Structures are given as structure tokens and as C-alpha cells.
Amino acid sequence: MDEVPATDPSPRIAPSGRRRTPAPRALALLLAAAAACAWAFDPASGPPARTGAAGPAPQADAHQPAPPAPAPPPEPLGLAPGRERFTANDELAAALGGIAARGGAALVEPGRSAGGEPLLALHFGHGGGRPAALLIGQQHGDEPAGAEALLVVAERLANPADPLAAVLERLDVVVLPRANPDGARAGQRRNAAGQDPNRDHLRMASPEAQAIAALMQRWRPVMVADLHEYLALGGYVARLGAIKRHDLLMQGPGTPNLPPAVAAATEAWLRQPLAEALDAQRIRHDWYHVQPAVPESGAQPAFSMGGLSAGLARNAAGLRHAPTLLLESRGFDLGRLHLQRRVHAQVMAVDALLRAAAARADDLAALRDDADAAVAARACRGAVVVEAAMTPGARRLRMLDPTTGADVDVEVAWSSALLLQPRRSRARPCAYWLAADQAVAVARLRALGVQVTTLAQPLALQAERYRVTAEGRRQDPGGGAALRQVAVELEAQPLQAPAGSHLVRLDQPLAPFAVAALEPDGADSYVAAGIVDSVDALARVMAWP
């Protein structure tokens, strides 16, 4: 899942790789609530009709006949009847290798995990230079439905007789079914080093995030789908008297300095066609949301959409100008309960996204290229957002009664990531300067694909330096060491940059990564994470030399 609510238990799978069984009372409540809407995974037919009033958009509840689906591909091992575990890493490697051996795709290894497991992807394509889509599964090891679903998708893409394979006439597809094999093996959210890969797409500390960045740089995807599972039970019954009802939650990129055109294309070209396809399959969906904190007694429940961090995979992909959707099925804390339904929801969602992206392949490529040029042209001009907040509001959230399974509406406070409110902005520099001893920061930026120049000779620069005015510590949402939190003021100073120091120019497409990493008072900054050890090692270059 994209966020970790305050009540999130960890770890969520026993080390044996078997799912922990939900508590008896919680399991009974969930079974009762789901009885009205349970159906088996059968790609050849839609689910049975259900009754119930439709909720406010986008939580649709359509009743039109499901369109015919292709013959089912081979069932992933993890879904086989009688199994008590999901597809193992060696089984996944064999399945991907088998597809490649049949000539259906090329097997790619962009890296190895923190624990030494190969990270394996398949590249489906009919020639070089075409737009590409990237599908990422199981960044969190205890969220298995994404990997199982992407195995189904891979088999379908490899079968020329499957209608989905037609997307390959216009679009290459790169499938990374399991981005965190360490977590999958151990039954835990994080990798073998205790890192959360999904939150590491700016700091680039984990080999898993580095491997995904390598895929991004190699194929420059025009569409990205990031598959997760959300918390179904948690404390919702105790706090709200209700259970989340949706088969799928989704959200596009939302982070400071994201080009508005990328957000607009995600909505119009991906999410809206996806919503229509899910409605046709009667797969219930809504915006991704979490309850980030337990409300005080008597207070209105408060929910938030997924976070604004540039280190989250969907936001990092958006900053690469790829329209992106986070897809979260229900739910990682259910063990194998409803696994077929969870996988079915993911398969149908990816099917719809690939079709939508193929139909808009040229438009998506043009959007990416135009955004690349526009971002690079903004160096030295306008402002950058250092900190932003979601827009507060309220909405009616449709949930399930845990006893009857009936729909119930809960009035909640709602923090929306669809419109961000800038809290702190400053003039956009031409470049950032980094001291010669900041080799780790330079390596992390280069791993992202950001261009960093090392000065061969001294250079006089017109600069702004940072002065710390306040300092504290805050919890790392990714579970790492406490983050440094600073407040700063800017002071104009001439800077004689020595040979061996570094310049990160902002006249490049990935400039927003440099802003997120190098403005020291930003939530995701390299100063906060200790990658840059002092604000004295940084400066803002305000004019070209």
C-alpha cells in the first residue's frame, strides 16, 4: 500500500511465507460483509449482478452486462487450489523464463535485491523506439496480488491469440511482477535491509528502487501502473462500525512541481477509461485513501488520499512525465481470502490501462517530450514549490456494514491530493552547487538519471547560501532513522566553486528531482535523510556563469 496508517500491523505475514490468519472475530465480520459480493475468478465471464444503490463518483456500482473476455491464460501457481503460499521466487523466475524461452518476450534483469535475489522483468515489443508502458508489482513483499496478476498479464501478452496482445502493435510493455523478492520470501513489507522500496524513489538507497529507475531510464515509459494491496480490516470496524468495500483503489501522481499536463493526462487518458472498464466488469472502485490517525473521541473520521512525497513510485514516475496510476486491491491483511477476486480486479485494471495507453500511445509520447522540454526551459525562471499540502474538505465515503454486508455511507473529513496548496515556495535557481565531498548525493542523483557535472576548474558563481534558523527531528514515514528537519533563510553570496565540486543544472527534464532532493527544508530532502551532511555543502546558483 502507498501509505502506512497509524494502526498498520507489521510484519503482516509470518516468516514462513504463509499469511497470518485474521483474528476470528474480524474474519467472521469480513466474511459476513463480503457474502453479498463474493464471486470466483473467471476471466471468461463477469461477476454476477448485485443489488445496491450507486455511490458518488468515482465509486461506481454499474449493472450493465460484462463484455466477453478472452479464454483464461494458465493460472499462476499462487492461485492453484489447495496451495497455502503464493508463487515463490524460484517459481516466478521459472515462469518468466518459460515465457522468454517461447519467444514471447525478452527476459531482463535490471538488478538484484538487497538480499541478492534477481529482479526479473519481461520486455514485450515488436521493435525499438516505440512508446512503452511499465507495470510494477509487489514493491511491498506482503502484498501478493500484484505479482500474481502480472503473471496472468504476461501470459496473455505472450499469446498472440489473446486480444490483449494487440496492444503490442502500438506499445512496448515492460512487466516487473515482483519488485521486492526479499519481502515476498520473508512475508514482510520491506526488503532484506529493512528498506521500503516504494518510498525510496528519490533517496535511491535500495537496490530495488535503483533497478526500477534503470528500467525507467532505459525505456522512458509513457504509462506506469504500480500494483499494491490496501489494508481491508485494520481498526475500521472498531472506529467506524464499517469495512472498506472497494475491490480497487486508485490514484495518480500528486507532488510539488509536477507538470499539470501530466496530472490532466493521467485523469483523462487513463483513470477515466479505467473507471468505465471497471464499471462494465462491476468492479467497485474509489480514490485511494487511508485513515492516517485514530480520531479523538467524538471527532469526525478523517481520511487522506495517498501522500505527496517525491519518493513514492507513482509520484516519481509522474516527475518523469509518465501518466501513472497506483492500483490497490483489497486487501493484504486477508491472507488467501478472496485472492482470486483481488487478482481479477488487478488483471482487469491492467488490461484496461494497456488498451487505453495503446490507443493514446502517440499522444502520451508527445506529452512526455513536451513536458521534458517545458521543464528544462524553466531554469532560472519563476518559482519552485518546496512544501505543499492537500486540500481539506469533506465527503461521503461508501463502506460496508460488517454484519449485513449492506452499503453504509460514512461522513468523513477528506484531504484531497487532486489539488495541492503551496505552503512554501522560492525563486527557481539555474542550478544547485554541491561540495566536492558529497559523493553519495551525486551518486544517488545520477542513479535517478539526473545530470550532474563535476567542475574541472574553479568557477565564480552568483549564489544563495542556506542558513539554518531552526532544527528538529521527525519520524521517517518509510520506517528508517529519524529525519532531520530544518528551517532555513537564504543569503545572497558570491561563491568561488572549486575544481572537483559539482553543478546540478535545472535546464534538464528531471530538474524537479533535484529540487526535491536539494532544497534542505523539503520533506524529502537529502539533508533531511543525512545524504547531504550539512547545508554548507549546498548552494543555489542564481545566474549562469
Side-chain angles (χ1 to χ4, degrees), residues 29-92:
L29 290 169
L30 184 70
L31 287 169
C37 56
W39 41 267
F41 177 41
D42 181 4
S45 64
R50 299 185 299 106
T51 59
Q59 21 183 82
D61 217 3
H63 298 279
Q64 51 190 299
E75 188 174 67
L77 288 172
L79 270 66
R83 278 182 70 109
E84 295 185 359
R85 62 188 178 93
F86 306 107
T87 301
N89 290 339
D90 57 346
E91 294 171 332
L92 176 69

Side-chain angles (χ1 to χ4, degrees), residues 430-434 453 455 457-465 492-498 501-505 538-545:
C430 302
Y432 291 95
W433 171 82
L434 276 167
T453 301
L455 298 180
Q457 56 187 3
L459 188 63
L461 298 172
Q462 181 181 329
E464 290 180 340
R465 305 301 294 266
Q493 295 181 11
L495 172 64
Q496 188 67 27
S501 61
H502 312 279
L503 281 184
V504 185
R505 296 172 62 109
L538 281 169
R540 291 159 47 90
V541 179
M542 303 309 294
W544 296 123

Side-chain angles (χ1 to χ4, degrees), residues 213-515:
L215 293 175
M216 293 275 193
Q217 292 172 64
R218 179 172 177 181
W219 275 285
R220 298 182 65 222
V222 299
M223 186 276 280
V224 177
D226 183 23
L227 279 60
H228 290 256
E229 295 202 85
Y230 71 80
L231 181 70
L233 294 174
Y236 293 111
V237 175
R239 298 197 300 270
L240 303 177
I243 293 173
K244 284 187 177 181
R245 72 189 287 275
H246 302 95
D247 298 301
L248 203 69
L249 301 178
M250 51 187 167
Q251 183 175 339
T255 191
N257 306 305
L258 176 76
V262 174
T266 300
E267 172 63 17
W269 296 349
L270 296 183
R271 197 201 66 81
Q272 290 181 10
L274 171 58
E276 293 172 3
L278 296 177
D279 292 347
Q281 286 284 332
R282 295 185 293 280
I283 295 174
R284 298 169 305 182
H285 55 90
D286 199 350
W287 298 112
Y288 176 74
H289 56 273
V290 295
Q291 191 174 21
V294 178
E296 296 180 4
S297 178
Q300 184 182 42
F303 282 80
S304 169
M305 294 182 70
L308 310 183
S309 168
L312 289 166
R314 61 179 166 81
N315 291 335
L319 291 179
R320 295 180 185 276
H321 311 144
T324 300
L325 277 176
L326 168 74
L327 304 173
E328 298 246 3
S329 58
R330 170 186 187 262
F332 67 75
D333 53 337
L334 301 182
R336 293 183 64 83
L337 187 66
H338 300 170
L339 179 60
Q340 290 182 325
R341 180 185 180 113
R342 288 148 52 191
V343 172
H344 177 80
Q346 296 274 24
V347 170
M348 293 297 101
V350 171
D351 179 296
L353 285 177
L354 287 177
R355 293 173 192 268
R360 289 277 191 175
D362 293 340
D363 293 335
L364 287 164
L367 168 78
R368 178 200 60 201
D369 295 343
D370 289 348
D372 283 356
V375 168
R378 292 193 188 109
C380 310
R381 298 189 298 145
V384 295
V385 178
V386 178
E387 181 185 5
M390 297 187 196
T391 299
R395 67 168 291 192
R396 182 175 297 169
L397 190 62
R398 181 150 291 180
M399 304 183 78
L400 287 176
D401 183 286
T403 303
T404 67
D407 290 344
V408 294
D409 290 333
V410 180
E411 300 290 338
V412 302
W414 182 261
S415 295
S416 174
L418 302 180
L419 179 63
L420 303 188
Q421 307 294 328
R423 283 187 171 175
R424 188 165 57 258
S425 301
R426 53 183 59 119
R428 187 189 313 272
C430 302
Y432 291 95
W433 171 82
L434 276 167
D437 60 356
Q438 300 302 305
V440 175
V442 169
R444 301 285 180 88
L445 289 167
R446 286 174 172 162
L448 279 166
V450 175
Q451 299 170 24
V452 183
T453 301
T454 301
L455 298 180
Q457 56 187 3
L459 188 63
L461 298 172
Q462 181 181 329
E464 290 180 340
R465 305 301 294 266
Y466 300 98
R467 182 172 65 85
V468 175
T469 60
E471 184 170 349
R473 293 279 173 177
R474 64 181 178 87
Q475 182 179 357
D476 180 4
L483 299 176
R484 185 184 181 195
Q485 190 170 18
V486 299
V488 298
E489 290 183 351
L490 299 177
E491 298 178 344
Q493 295 181 11
L495 172 64
Q496 188 67 27
S501 61
H502 312 279
L503 281 184
V504 185
R505 296 172 62 109
L506 295 195
D507 56 346
Q508 59 176 304
L510 300 186
F513 282 120
V515 174

